[in-house]
């Protein structure tokens, strides 16, 4: 069963501020999917999908090898049609739950839909398993005989990547049906726990009970005492729940080890890399390049920042502190919209037109409210509908960057939709391309429009911090996951041991400018990526370095009709691999120099900051 999922929520520690006074922020309207949990159309879709899935299984199970090429194409089209119905239902359930995870009804509805969709999907599971058992010669003969079937070649190619790791039909069906009481149930427990948690923050008076998202936002407050109070409260709240989060993490890591062992994956990250259609060696090259660059990137920048803040050494709550003189203005929503769309339009009017629909129609949820998912994501839903964006807009420049990022996901998903439900999804290594490129377009436009040299330096420093959060921090997350999963194979890890691993990678990645207090040892437990999408996080660094290289090609004018080729890259969805997509731009991710080129962009920004006088005084 193929269910398209939202982009993973981004790390939200750097999001600060409050809603501009008197401004109403948009909330999405999910009626383009369904009118509500009791919508007769939703219930009818489920019943029809179940009938179709049973008929599909009855008519095709055990017979694929005997089908002609055209008949196999017809079967694929019917399979995709039913999958898209199930995808629409689960998209609606996921979005409803993300909008308010505190609502017990939303949680029950989400679980009920997962169970029903999983049950229906059990009747479709045979199809991909049986396709993978077809002999290569037979399948190629069918493709050669049918131009209609040939259209599915990219999907069949990607499906057969998992052929060596496929288990018997009975085991695959068991794993499929137990998902709702396994990983999915632990995911829901994590989400609902975070949504219901309250963080005590003392700011001179009685402690204020805040949501996790609101408390994390205060880690970027201008007042150092407020940042420390928020950090103390976060440590207390997560410390009180650390046994539960340790149990969830240990259980899911063991679950992954068991399944990886059955599927003969050589290491914990391999299954994610297979899904991303990228070789283990390419990911290793990226990680090695970033780790080797820690001293010239994060260590160097944070040493400068400590001096700018007048500190001998920083605490963890100083990492995202505003710089001296950085009076980050509150940006109204309408101005954020204009800044992002203007930047997109300068690059490509078509891109801006696709993006404008998200604002003109109720496709964005930017409002701040209890129970809403923290961070930001773009959900592709299904090609017969449209994506939805979730952001938590506090009115700061970094929120504008987040909006530009998620809008990039949204327009990418719309452009790729023509590939159909099964082939429009993009591997995670390329899923961040449009989002990070959209961020870069918006940042460059804002930087070029700023005439005050002091303000430009502050904007540049802010961008460096965002890039360090995207590249250095995410690779540190990846290393934490790798070390944790490797050690979990020897036995369950205590919360104290998990904290030691976390603190080790933080010291390694952020450098000697920081003096980490012991209470920072629980901060691993709020990161949703570790629970929802293990080993996802390197995709952020992959995307950032890829876009740095891609944007360099654009700026240098090395490729004729760059914008046209770029939109073609987005339209390809999941039909092409990274080597094919980057070839028109003269780039190759398998070349070690490729990653250095991307990291050099960040180092160049830091060089520019070092050479800029007056930074410390703002």
């Amino acid at each position: 069963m193929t269910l398209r999922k939202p982009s993973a929520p981004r790390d939200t520690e750097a999001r600060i501020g409050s809603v501009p006074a008197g401004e109403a922020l948009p909330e999405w309207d999910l009626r383009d999917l369904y009118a509500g949990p009791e919508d007769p159309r939703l219930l009818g879709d489920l019943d029809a999908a179940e009938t179709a899935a049973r008929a599909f299984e009855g008519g095709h199970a055990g017979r694929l090898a005997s089908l002609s090429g055209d008949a196999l194409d017809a079967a694929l089209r019917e399979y995709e049609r039913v999958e898209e119905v199930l995808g629409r239902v689960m998209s609606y359930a996921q979005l409803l739950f993300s909008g308010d995870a505190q609502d017990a009804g939303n949680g029950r509805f989400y679980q009920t839909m997962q169970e029903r969709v999983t049950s229906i999907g059990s009747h479709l599971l045979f199809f991909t398993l049986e396709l993978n058992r077809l002999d290569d010669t037979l399948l190629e003969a069918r493709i050669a005989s049918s131009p209609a079937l040939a259209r599915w070649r990219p999907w069949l190619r990607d499906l057969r990547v998992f052929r060596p790791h496929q288990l018997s039909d009975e085991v695959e069906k068991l794993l499929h049906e137990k998902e709702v009481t396994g990983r999915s149930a632990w995911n829901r427990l994590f989400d609902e726990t975070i949504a219901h948690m309250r963080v005590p923050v003392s700011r001179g008076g009685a402690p204020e009970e805040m949501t996790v998202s609101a408390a994390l936002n205060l880690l970027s407050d201008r007042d150092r005492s407020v940042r420390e109070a928020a950090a103390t409260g976060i440590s207390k709240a997560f410390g009180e729940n650390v046994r539960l989060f340790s149990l969830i993490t240990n259980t899911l890591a063991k679950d992954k080890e068991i399944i990886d062992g059955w599927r003969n994956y050589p290491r914990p990250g391999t299954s994610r890399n297979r899904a991303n259609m990228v070789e283990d060696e390419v990911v290793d090259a990226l990680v090695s390049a970033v780790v080797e660059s820690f001293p010239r990137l994060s260590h160097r920048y944070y040493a400068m920042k400590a001096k700018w803040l007048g500190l001998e050494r920083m605490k963890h709550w100083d990492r995202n502190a505003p710089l001296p003189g950085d009076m980050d203005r509150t940006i109204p929503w309408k101005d954020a919209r204009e800044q992002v769309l203007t930047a997109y339009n300068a690059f490509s009017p078509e891109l801006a037109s696709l993006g404008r629909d998200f604002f003109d129609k109720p496709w964005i949820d930017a409002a701040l409210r209890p129970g809403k998912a923290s961070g930001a994501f773009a959900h592709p839903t299904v090609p017969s509908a449209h994506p939805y964006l979730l952001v938590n807009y506090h009115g700061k420049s970094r929120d504008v960057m987040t909006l530009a990022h998620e809008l990039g996901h949204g327009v990418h998903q719309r452009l790729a939709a023509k590939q159909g439900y099964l082939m429009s999804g993009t591997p995670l290594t390329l899923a961040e391309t449009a989002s990070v490129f959209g961020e870069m377009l918006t940042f460059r436009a804002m930087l070029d429009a700023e005439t005050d040299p002091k303000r430009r330096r502050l904007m540049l420093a802010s961008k460096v911090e965002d890039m360090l959060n995207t590249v250095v921090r995410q690779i540190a997350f990846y290393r934490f996951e790798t070390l944790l999963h490797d050690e979990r194979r020897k036995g369950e890890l205590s919360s104290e041991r998990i904290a030691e691993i976390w603190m080790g990678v933080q010291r390694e990645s952020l450098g000697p400018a920081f003096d980490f207090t012991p209470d920072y040892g629980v901060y691993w437990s709020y990161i949703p990526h570790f629970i929802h999408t293990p080993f996802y996080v390197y995709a952020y660094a992959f995307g950032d370095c890829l876009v740095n290289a891609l944007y360099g090609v654009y700026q240098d004018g090395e490729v004729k009709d760059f914008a046209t080729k770029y939109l073609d890259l987005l339209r390809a969805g999941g039909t092409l691999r990274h080597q094919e997509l980057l070839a028109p731009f003269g780039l190759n991710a398998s070349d070690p120099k490729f990653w250095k080129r991307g990291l050099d962009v960040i180092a160049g920004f830091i060089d520019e900051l070092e050479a800029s006088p007056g930074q410390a005084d703002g």
Side-chain angles (χ1 to χ4, degrees):
M1 184 170 58
T2 305
L3 294 178
R4 300 175 66 199
K5 297 182 179 181
S7 58
R10 305 181 78 201
D11 180 17
T12 58
E13 278 187 23
R15 307 296 184 250
I16 66 174
S18 57
V19 183
E23 183 174 40
L25 294 173
E27 297 186 22
W28 55 32
D29 185 339
L30 302 180
R31 285 179 295 181
D32 285 350
L33 295 172
Y34 294 105
E38 302 299 326
D39 186 348
R41 188 162 65 94
L42 185 153
L43 302 176
D45 279 354
L46 284 170
D47 289 343
E50 181 166 10
T51 298
R54 288 178 180 275
F56 186 79
E57 181 181 35
H60 293 92
R63 299 180 176 90
L64 297 190
S66 64
L67 295 182
S68 68
D70 286 346
L72 199 52
D73 164 65
L76 272 162
R77 284 187 280 112
E78 174 63 3
Y79 173 78
E80 181 178 55
R81 186 191 69 79
V82 180
E83 285 279 10
E84 182 162 353
V85 174
L86 300 179
R88 177 183 284 268
V89 171
M90 281 313 302
S91 295
Y92 178 72
Q94 288 171 334
L95 291 170
L96 195 68
F97 183 69
S98 296
D100 187 359
Q102 286 184 359
D103 187 316
N106 288 347
R108 287 193 300 272
F109 176 71
Y110 185 31
Q111 179 67 18
T112 300
M113 290 303 99
Q114 281 189 311
E115 292 175 5
R116 181 78 191 277
V117 166
T118 298
S119 176
I120 295 170
S122 294
H123 298 290
L124 302 173
L125 186 61
F126 81 91
F127 188 62
T128 53
L129 300 177
E130 195 169 326
L131 276 175
N132 261 352
R133 287 200 299 271
L134 295 181
D135 179 75
D136 287 338
T137 304
L138 184 149
L139 185 59
E140 280 300 320
R142 296 293 187 273
I143 292 174
S145 70
S146 171
L149 182 60
R151 185 181 80 84
W152 298 98
R153 185 185 288 277
W155 185 79
L156 292 167
R157 171 204 65 195
D158 293 347
L159 176 67
R160 290 171 87 77
V161 165
F162 298 97
R163 195 180 182 190
H165 310 289
Q166 185 170 299
L167 305 175
S168 70
D169 289 9
E170 292 77 12
V171 174
E172 292 287 358
K173 187 172 183 179
L174 175 65
L175 292 174
H176 172 78
E177 293 186 356
K178 281 187 61 64
E179 175 73 10
V180 295
T181 57
R183 172 170 290 277
S184 293
W186 290 101
N187 278 210
R188 179 186 170 190
L189 176 61
F190 175 86
D191 288 344
E192 291 190 357
T193 301
I194 295 284
H196 282 86
M197 281 175 62
R198 290 297 177 266
V199 177
V201 179
S202 300
R203 291 189 278 185
E208 179 184 357
E209 296 292 317
M210 309 181 73
T211 64
V212 172
S213 178
L216 289 169
N217 288 329
L218 290 179
L219 293 178
S220 294
D221 195 272
R222 181 166 301 283
D223 187 333
R224 193 177 191 224
S225 66
V226 171
R227 297 197 303 272
E228 183 177 2
T232 300
I234 292 166
S235 297
K236 182 177 186 297
F238 279 89
E240 291 172 349
N241 288 277
V242 74
R243 288 184 62 190
L244 173 60
F245 291 126
S246 297
L247 174 62
I248 294 172
T249 299
N250 270 289
T251 301
L252 290 177
K254 184 63 178 179
D255 179 76
K256 185 173 186 354
E257 178 196 345
I258 293 169
I259 294 175
D260 283 353
W262 276 76
R263 295 193 183 283
N264 291 315
Y265 285 121
R267 61 193 203 188
T270 299
S271 60
R272 176 68 60 194
N273 297 341
R274 294 288 187 276
N276 287 345
M277 303 304 154
V278 65
E279 302 77 16
D280 289 352
E281 294 74 23
V282 171
V283 177
D284 291 344
L286 165 65
V287 173
S288 295
V290 175
V291 171
E292 289 171 7
S293 293
F294 284 166
R296 72 182 181 121
L297 299 180
S298 49
H299 295 190
R300 185 162 60 117
Y301 174 78
Y302 289 121
M304 287 194 295
K305 182 167 186 175
K307 292 179 182 177
W308 298 338
L309 294 175
L311 301 171
E312 185 174 339
R313 296 183 76 188
M314 293 192 292
K315 303 295 186 183
H316 71 84
W317 57 80
D318 297 316
R319 182 172 61 85
N320 286 316
L323 296 176
D326 186 2
M327 304 304 292
D328 197 2
R329 302 181 293 270
T330 298
I331 303 169
W333 176 257
K334 62 180 179 61
D335 293 348
R337 163 193 166 128
E338 189 61 27
Q339 287 176 339
V340 173
L341 289 179
T342 298
Y344 274 49
N345 188 69
F347 174 74
S348 165
E350 181 181 354
L351 208 63
S353 177
L354 288 166
R356 191 171 290 108
D357 284 341
F358 286 86
F359 296 95
D360 292 346
K361 301 171 184 177
W363 297 356
I364 302 178
D365 194 326
L368 308 175
R369 58 179 182 273
K372 180 181 175 183
S374 63
F377 64 73
H379 197 310
T381 71
V382 291
S384 55
H386 56 77
Y388 283 95
L389 310 184
L390 180 145
V391 297
N392 286 278
Y393 190 75
H394 297 277
K396 299 304 178 182
S397 58
R398 279 179 173 143
D399 294 303
V400 179
M401 292 297 106
T402 296
L403 180 61
H405 180 102
E406 300 307 335
L407 190 67
H409 278 305
V411 296
H412 188 179
Q413 291 158 359
R414 292 192 72 193
L415 285 166
K418 70 170 188 177
Q419 301 293 348
Y421 184 73
L422 294 181
M423 292 192 289
S424 55
T426 308
L428 294 182
T429 43
L430 294 164
E432 296 297 330
T433 303
S435 54
V436 179
F437 197 86
E439 267 193 273
M440 184 66 83
L441 289 172
T442 305
F443 168 71
R444 292 287 186 177
M446 293 172 70
L447 187 68
D448 292 344
E450 182 57 64
T451 57
D452 181 353
K454 186 182 301 183
R455 180 68 190 165
R456 285 176 59 87
R457 287 197 300 272
L458 290 168
M459 290 176 68
L460 189 60
S462 178
K463 181 60 177 175
V464 167
E465 293 203 10
D466 281 346
M467 297 174 92
L468 293 178
N469 280 336
T470 302
V471 177
V472 169
R473 187 163 172 77
Q474 302 305 324
I475 292 301
F477 284 174
Y478 179 81
R479 283 177 59 73
F480 168 77
E481 282 188 285
T482 301
L483 292 168
L484 185 147
H485 280 257
D486 284 346
E487 193 164 323
R488 178 64 181 90
R489 297 187 174 196
K490 302 172 186 175
E492 182 166 304
L493 279 68
S494 67
S495 57
E496 291 80 9
R497 178 54 189 150
I498 299 175
E500 289 175 1
I501 297 172
W502 171 259
M503 295 288 266
V505 296
Q506 294 304 309
R507 293 189 184 97
E508 174 192 52
S509 62
L510 298 179
F514 285 89
D515 179 18
F516 290 106
T517 53
D519 64 316
Y520 189 53
V522 300
Y523 271 61
W524 60 269
S525 57
Y526 88 86
I527 309 295
H529 309 68
F530 302 152
I531 305 302
H532 294 300
T533 48
F535 299 95
Y536 174 98
V537 288
Y538 76 80
Y540 287 120
F542 194 110
D544 199 88
C545 290
L546 185 153
V547 167
N548 286 343
L550 195 62
Y551 197 87
V553 172
Y554 167 60
Q555 271 197 316
D556 296 342
E558 298 175 19
V559 174
K560 186 179 179 181
D561 297 327
F562 181 96
T564 300
K565 290 183 172 65
Y566 174 75
L567 264 63
D568 287 342
L569 179 153
L570 302 186
R571 288 190 183 95
T575 62
L576 299 177
R577 299 281 180 86
H578 63 84
Q579 299 97 325
E580 300 164 297
L581 289 170
L582 294 176
F585 305 95
L587 299 172
N588 178 10
S590 299
D591 184 348
K593 295 178 182 177
F594 174 83
W595 301 116
K596 184 178 182 302
R597 180 172 183 170
L599 295 169
D600 283 349
V601 172
I602 309 175
F605 284 165
I606 298 174
D607 290 343
E608 189 175 338
L609 285 171
E610 278 187 327
S612 299
Q615 178 64 52
D617 0 282

